[in-house]
């Protein structure tokens, strides 16, 4: 008998991830927040660092899960975010007259922390419902976090239209309320403990991948070619939101399909045996993929980890820093913040989805490109893109942003599989949290470079810089940093491919 609850849980995870990338909307309102606080670009960069710093405390959610049910951990996570973003919204709309800089910094830390709590709930729920396919499911669902900025921009345009683009406070209001509302809607589903069994996994996941691809394609179309969308102003964005919400139909379609097939066909002993053998084979393949299990002590003594740490810092983290600065990059180039953020978000979604497809392919075939090889190949176009940004042209700015967004999305998604592949499953949570600890470090260092150069080019009074010179040196420096990361990625691939060959022999 098929249960729809595991599939409803998958839908719940998709919805949560689609609204969980609240930090990706920072560029859309950062200029307004900077003006309201009266701070420099360097201090604004520190607020972006503060949001990333919240991820350092992600381990708290893991401890909470040892003592609290999944649904309660989710409520705590969204409540933290609602408070952090809510107070910032009240300040930006002058409902609160003054907020000190240190208070704004603390609010950003709190807001960033909420993302980790929601992520933890999503990861654990995926592992519970899809024990043999959790890697693919996590990659698929986290791809939706790449489109969060586009989702929030879509909701803002549905609510306000494009006639009121200066109302930046709407993003903080949405960051505060939307994850809370979605969490309340999906709470009943998280109580169920059943996992997916039988052959419906392949069909269901294939449908979900297809729907994700359609959603991403439509998001890119509405961003890069809005002139082809001739329907009413708010309708394109409403369609995007509807496409994400329509995933809730899949569980009921799978249930109907199962019932029809059950009536028209009697399951034989041979078919039952075949399914059992297939599931046993999946378990065996998972065991075969497990290598040496690294504890914290082994990890910090491993050269491969520090190579990996460096690659992620010069790739994924640098891409996130670029995204954090899109507000000022757009402002200095005379472009709309929403346009650049939408480009980065939409292509980031496809980057994450592409890595999910690679994971699915790798689970079925042995002779595919390894994850570390994919990582190296992603670093090459990303490094080139930073140098393309040195050409002062809207086309190159849009193309560079798209490539960096796609590469960043793919790298951050692949990292989940690479961490478990290189260092084992047993201590995955701790090991991966050590890896992503380089996000606040890189955010501070790389962001500091951009902020110092920006402030030196901007005026003393309004602290605003206009023109191609604002980020020219920054793009050059970032390009060389990414190039170093590219070299490290090939060294990491060479070392890990040799070790895998040694194990196979």
């Amino acid at each position: 008998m098929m249960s729809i609850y595991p599939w409803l849980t998958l839908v719940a995870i998709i919805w949560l991830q689609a609204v969980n990338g609240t930090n990706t909307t920072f560029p859309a309102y950062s200029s307004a927040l900077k003006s309201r606080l009266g701070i420099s670009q360097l201090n604004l960069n520190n607020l972006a660092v503060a949001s990333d710093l919240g991820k350092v405390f992600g381990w708290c959610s893991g401890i909470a899960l040892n003592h609290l049910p999944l649904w309660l951990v989710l409520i705590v996570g969204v409540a933290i975010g609602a408070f952090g973003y809510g107070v910032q919204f009240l300040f930006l709309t002058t409902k609160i007259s003054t907020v000190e800089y240190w208070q704004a910094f603390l609010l950003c830390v709190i807001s960033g922390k909420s993302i980790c709590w929601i992520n933890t709930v999503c990861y654990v729920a995926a592992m519970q419902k899809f024990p043999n396919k959790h890697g693919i499911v996590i990659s698929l669902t986290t791809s939706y976090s790449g489109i969060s900025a586009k989702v929030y921009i879509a909701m803002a345009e549905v609510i306000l239209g494009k006639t009121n683009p200066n109302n930046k406070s709407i993003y903080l209001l949405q960051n505060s309320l939307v994850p809370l509302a979605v969490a309340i809607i999906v709470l009943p589903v998280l109580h169920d403990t059943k996992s997916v069994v039988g052959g419906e996994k392949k069909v269901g996941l294939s449908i979900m991948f297809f729907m994700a691809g359609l959603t991403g394609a439509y998001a890119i179309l509405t961003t890069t070619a809005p002139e082809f969308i001739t329907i009413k102003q708010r309708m394109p964005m409403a369609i995007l939101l509807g496409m994400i919400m329509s995933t809730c139909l899949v569980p009921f379609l799978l249930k109907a399909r199962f019932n029809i097939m059950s009536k028209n066909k009697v399951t034989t002993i041979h078919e039952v045996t075949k399914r059992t053998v297939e599931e046993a084979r999946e378990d065996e393949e998972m065991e075969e993929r497990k290598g040496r299990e690294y504890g914290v002590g082994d990890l910090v003594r491993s050269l491969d980890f520090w190579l990996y740490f460096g690659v992620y810092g010069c790739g994924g983290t640098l891409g996130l820093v670029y995204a954090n600065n899109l507000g000022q990059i757009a402002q200095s180039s005379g472009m709309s913040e929403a346009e650049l953020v939408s480009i980065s978000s939409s292509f980031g979604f496809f980057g994450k989805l592409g890595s999910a497809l690679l994971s699915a392919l790798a689970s079925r075939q042995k002779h595919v490109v390894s994850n570390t090889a994919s990582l190296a190949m992603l670093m090459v176009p990303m490094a080139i893109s930073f140098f393309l940004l040195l050409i002062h042209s809207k086309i190159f700015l849009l193309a560079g942003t798209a490539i960096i967004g796609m590469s960043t999305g793919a790298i951050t998604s692949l990292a989940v599989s690479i961490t478990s592949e290189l260092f084992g499953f047993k201590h995955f949570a701790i090991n991966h949290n050590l890896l992503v600890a380089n996000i606040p470090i890189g955010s501070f260092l790389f962001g500091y470079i951009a902020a110092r150069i920006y402030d030196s080019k901007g005026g003393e009074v309004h602290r605003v810089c206009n023109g191609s010179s604002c980020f020219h040196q920054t793009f050059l420096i970032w390009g060389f940093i990414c190039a170093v990361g590219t070299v490290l990625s090939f060294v990491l691939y060479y070392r890990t491919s040799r070790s895998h060959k040694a194990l196979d022999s």
Side-chain angles (χ1 to χ4, degrees):
M1 185 67 182
M2 176 191 167
S3 172
I4 66 170
Y5 282 103
W7 293 102
L8 286 175
T9 301
L10 177 59
V11 173
I13 297 171
I14 287 174
W15 287 8
L16 286 170
Q17 288 289 5
V19 300
N20 192 34
T22 48
N23 59 333
T24 59
T25 64
F26 181 77
Y29 63 84
S30 60
S31 296
L33 187 63
K34 175 184 175 183
S35 176
R36 181 82 171 90
L37 287 167
I39 57 177
S40 66
Q41 181 67 18
L42 182 60
N43 285 332
L44 182 67
N45 173 71
N46 290 337
L47 293 184
V49 174
S51 180
D52 292 329
L53 194 62
K55 297 173 183 175
V56 174
F57 302 101
W59 53 269
C60 297
S61 58
I63 294 176
L65 270 175
N66 292 331
H67 305 282
L68 301 174
L70 203 61
W71 64 268
L72 188 53
V73 174
L74 176 61
I75 287 296
V76 172
V78 294
I80 291 171
F83 173 78
Y85 287 115
V87 175
Q88 292 180 70
F89 165 75
L90 294 174
F91 171 66
L92 200 58
T93 55
T94 67
K95 298 295 189 296
I96 295 177
S97 57
T98 58
V99 168
E100 298 294 331
Y101 178 74
W102 69 267
Q103 294 171 327
F105 187 93
L106 183 59
L107 288 171
C108 289
V109 172
I110 293 171
S111 303
K113 185 178 179 181
S114 69
I115 297 172
C116 296
W117 284 66
I118 298 173
N119 275 337
T120 300
V121 170
C122 292
Y123 294 160
V124 172
M127 291 177 182
Q128 289 177 349
K129 306 300 180 181
F130 298 84
N132 294 330
K133 297 286 185 182
H134 68 267
I136 299 171
V137 171
I138 290 174
S139 296
L140 169 64
T141 54
T142 53
S143 67
Y144 278 87
S145 66
I147 207 173
S148 289
K150 181 67 177 178
V151 169
Y152 282 114
I153 290 171
M155 285 190 287
E157 291 187 7
V158 169
I159 296 168
L160 302 175
K162 293 187 178 181
T163 57
N164 191 16
N166 295 322
N167 186 2
K168 306 300 183 184
S169 62
I170 185 67
Y171 298 109
L172 285 167
L173 180 62
Q174 289 178 155
N175 287 353
S176 175
L177 298 181
V178 173
L180 181 62
V182 172
I184 292 172
I185 292 171
V186 305
L187 273 184
V189 177
L190 295 179
H191 283 283
D192 186 76
T193 58
K194 298 183 183 70
S195 60
V196 172
V197 295
E200 297 300 321
K201 279 183 288 189
K202 292 181 181 178
V203 176
L205 290 176
S206 297
I207 294 173
M208 287 296 190
F209 269 110
F210 178 73
M211 294 183 71
L214 284 181
T215 303
Y218 183 77
I220 289 179
L221 181 64
T222 56
T223 301
T224 58
E227 63 272 12
F228 291 108
I229 308 295
T230 58
I231 50 183
K232 289 183 179 180
Q233 189 182 66
R234 287 179 168 86
M235 193 58 68
M237 298 299 99
I239 291 174
L240 175 63
L241 299 176
M243 292 177 77
I244 296 173
M245 294 174 65
S246 66
T247 52
C248 67
L249 300 176
V250 175
F252 301 99
L253 291 174
L254 291 173
K255 181 68 173 178
R257 176 182 179 274
F258 178 83
N259 290 338
I260 292 171
M261 292 182 67
S262 298
K263 289 179 181 178
N264 298 335
K265 178 181 174 183
V266 178
T267 304
T268 64
I269 296 176
H270 172 71
E271 289 170 335
V272 173
T273 305
K274 183 180 178 182
R275 289 180 186 175
T276 304
V277 169
E278 286 179 354
E279 291 178 3
R281 187 182 301 149
E282 288 177 355
D283 292 337
E284 289 175 5
E285 288 175 354
M286 183 177 291
E287 289 297 324
E288 287 175 3
R289 287 196 293 270
K290 291 182 181 179
R292 176 185 170 186
E293 297 289 349
Y294 283 72
V296 175
D298 298 323
L299 195 73
V300 297
R301 289 191 295 268
S302 170
L303 177 59
D304 287 344
F305 172 74
W306 292 112
L307 284 170
Y308 182 34
F309 191 89
V311 174
Y312 192 90
C314 297
T317 297
L318 184 58
L320 295 174
V321 175
Y322 176 79
N324 284 339
N325 282 271
L326 283 177
Q328 284 64 52
I329 293 171
Q331 188 181 55
S332 64
S333 303
M335 293 180 61
S336 164
E337 293 102 323
E339 183 179 7
L340 268 189
V341 173
S342 293
I343 288 284
S344 177
S345 176
S346 300
F347 280 87
F349 171 83
F350 259 113
K352 287 176 178 287
L353 184 63
S355 69
L357 288 170
L358 281 175
S359 296
L361 187 63
S363 68
R364 296 182 183 182
Q365 301 180 25
K366 292 184 178 180
H367 302 290
V368 293
V369 177
S370 69
N371 286 325
T372 50
S374 299
L375 179 63
M377 289 189 291
L378 287 166
M379 290 292 294
V380 174
M382 188 175 183
I384 293 172
S385 295
F386 281 111
F387 293 108
L388 288 178
L389 293 173
L390 296 173
I391 303 172
H392 184 53
S393 166
K394 180 179 178 180
I395 294 175
F396 282 104
L397 179 58
L398 292 174
T401 299
I403 296 171
I404 292 170
M406 182 176 286
S407 298
T408 303
I411 290 170
T412 53
S413 183
L414 271 178
V416 177
S417 299
I418 294 175
T419 302
S420 57
E421 179 185 301
L422 296 183
F423 309 112
F425 291 88
K426 186 176 181 181
H427 304 287
F428 167 79
I430 297 174
N431 294 346
H432 197 64
N433 275 323
L434 284 174
L435 172 71
V436 299
N438 79 29
I439 293 179
I441 297 171
S443 183
F444 173 75
L445 293 176
F446 305 148
Y448 179 83
I449 293 169
R452 291 291 294 181
I453 295 173
Y454 182 94
D455 284 339
S456 69
K457 304 288 184 181
E460 291 294 328
V461 179
H462 299 292
R463 303 176 187 269
V464 174
C465 179
N466 293 304
S468 60
S469 64
C470 300
F471 283 91
H472 187 87
Q473 289 177 267
T474 299
F475 292 151
L476 186 62
I477 295 170
W478 283 354
F480 279 115
I481 291 172
C482 195
V484 170
T486 304
V487 174
L488 293 178
S489 69
F490 280 96
V491 175
L492 177 65
Y493 166 66
Y494 174 73
R495 284 179 54 84
T496 54
S497 62
R498 283 184 61 192
S499 62
H500 282 305
K501 287 178 182 178
L503 286 173
D504 292 337
S505 61

